[in-house]
Amino acid sequence: MDSKKEIIFQLDKYLKLLFPICRSITGKGNRKTLNILNEITPINIFEIKSGKKVSDWKIPDEWEIKKAYIQDIKGNKVVDFSRNNLHVVSYSTSVNKFIYWNELEKHLFKHNSIAKAIPYRTTYYKKNWGFCVTHNQYNQLKENSHKFKVVIDSSLKKGSLTYGECLIKGKSSKEILISCYICHPSMANDSLSGVLITVFLAKYLRTLDLNWSYRIIFVPETIGAIAYSSLNQELLKKIDVGLVITTAGGKGEISFKNSWNKNHYINKLTREVLDMNCKRYKEYPFDFHGSDERQYSSPGLRINCISIFKDKYYEYDYYHTSLDDLNFVNADNLYKTFQIYKNLINTLEKQKIYKRYENIGEIMLSKHNLYPNIGGAIAPNNKITDLDKILKFLFMIDGNRTIKDISEEMNISELEINNMIHILKMKNIITEI
Ligand code: ZN
């Protein structure tokens, strides 16, 4: 594995290279981004055609933008897409006309409180056009009572949605999902930080002798995750654990969001790793708002996804603005979160999770010669018998608990649990997942 210095150098290089690209839910910017990521570690790139039905959604037409500006009567381009790609509402339709302030105002968006910020807006599913501006630009346009020329040279045509995937195989065919989203234009913490941490984790995983297999995907948020889930539902149904990596490179505090089942072992393991790696961190319960865990935890899939953040989405002032830039995010901060995710993966790799071959009803212990061997008599003094232990253990292994969790809940040593596992494995009653 590369040294710390080398990884920070690479993170910095790719942060600067990827930041300026105009990405959206479809389009050339996403292909360019995936091709650059493919230099870091091999990624398979796929296209899904516009119009294809995916669950309750449809892949939209592909958006392309060449130029966009608002010009005043003197010929000054007061707002220009070439200076910052957040100036145009993503998926804006084409426009080329002269208009007055009354009409222009309806197509302008400014930040509620931060004067110098250009806000980030999209209009993916409603045909419209618009410009996002600073307070200065807004006032400058408002004070000008003459006509303006507005130009958005864009197209919305049948094309495709692009996504990337790599499957890194371990000893077990049982997979862990890692997902990030590639659809945000020039913002560093929201989207890009997650993309970079994910791609460097993929590179790291390829250097390990793995127990689990890892399915790593780079999709546009929401529609991309829905499309992937819909088209790959049979394999996703077999996955229990996911990491949704986003907003992980800011200057602020580390935090983590629990998975939908708060008792699932991934939450305990994350807490364990954070306790070892951070002086303090904030914990958020699961919330159906958020990123693509919304899709992966939907009723048909129910994957337990956690996210570790460094300046979580919604929680920092520069969220969804032009100030979420390379002053706010740097390679040193990205490296800190990368290390935590790396430690979490190393912790996950050590876990052995078991399940029963027969999952319905009690196991018929006598059939397996376990009943007489462990002496079925109920012991005096309300002591738990070996029989009770084995029955309780078989009741508890539902794939949501580690050996440590079971040992704590049953109040018996991990050694004793492991002895029980040994016998039950020999008798083909349980198996490692
Ligand atoms: Zn966002």
Side-chain angles (χ1 to χ4, degrees), residues 120 181 184 187 190-191 221 313 319-320:
Y120 166 54
Y181 51 92
H184 285 43
M187 281 169 288
D190 192 8
S191 192
E221 199 176 24
Y313 49 77
Y319 172 67
H320 278 182

Side-chain angles (χ1 to χ4, degrees), residues 142-243:
K142 192 178 178 181
E143 281 158 20
N144 190 330
S145 56
H146 294 284
K147 283 193 293 196
F148 304 97
K149 186 180 185 192
V150 290
V151 172
I152 298 179
D153 183 0
S154 68
S155 64
L156 259 175
K157 289 190 286 216
K158 291 265 171 272
S160 57
L161 176 150
T162 316
Y163 74 90
E165 179 188 45
C166 36
L167 176 63
I168 304 175
K169 287 189 175 167
K171 290 186 197 85
S172 166
S173 59
K174 191 77 186 173
E175 295 174 5
I176 287 173
L177 176 72
I178 304 182
S179 174
C180 66
Y181 51 92
I182 53 163
C183 53
H184 285 43
S186 295
M187 281 169 288
N189 197 38
D190 192 8
S191 192
L192 195 49
S193 68
V195 172
L196 282 169
I197 290 173
T198 303
V199 74
F200 279 92
L201 281 176
K203 189 180 180 195
Y204 169 68
L205 284 165
R206 286 193 158 116
T207 67
L208 302 180
D209 182 20
L210 295 166
N211 287 320
W212 300 80
S213 295
Y214 292 80
R215 185 168 294 272
I216 303 174
I217 59 173
F218 304 81
V219 287
E221 199 176 24
T222 310
I223 182 67
I226 290 170
Y228 187 89
S229 301
S230 176
L231 299 173
N232 297 282
Q233 50 186 284
E234 290 314 315
L235 64 92
L236 289 191
K237 278 176 190 165
K238 294 182 200 143
I239 297 181
D240 299 325
V241 174
L243 313 175

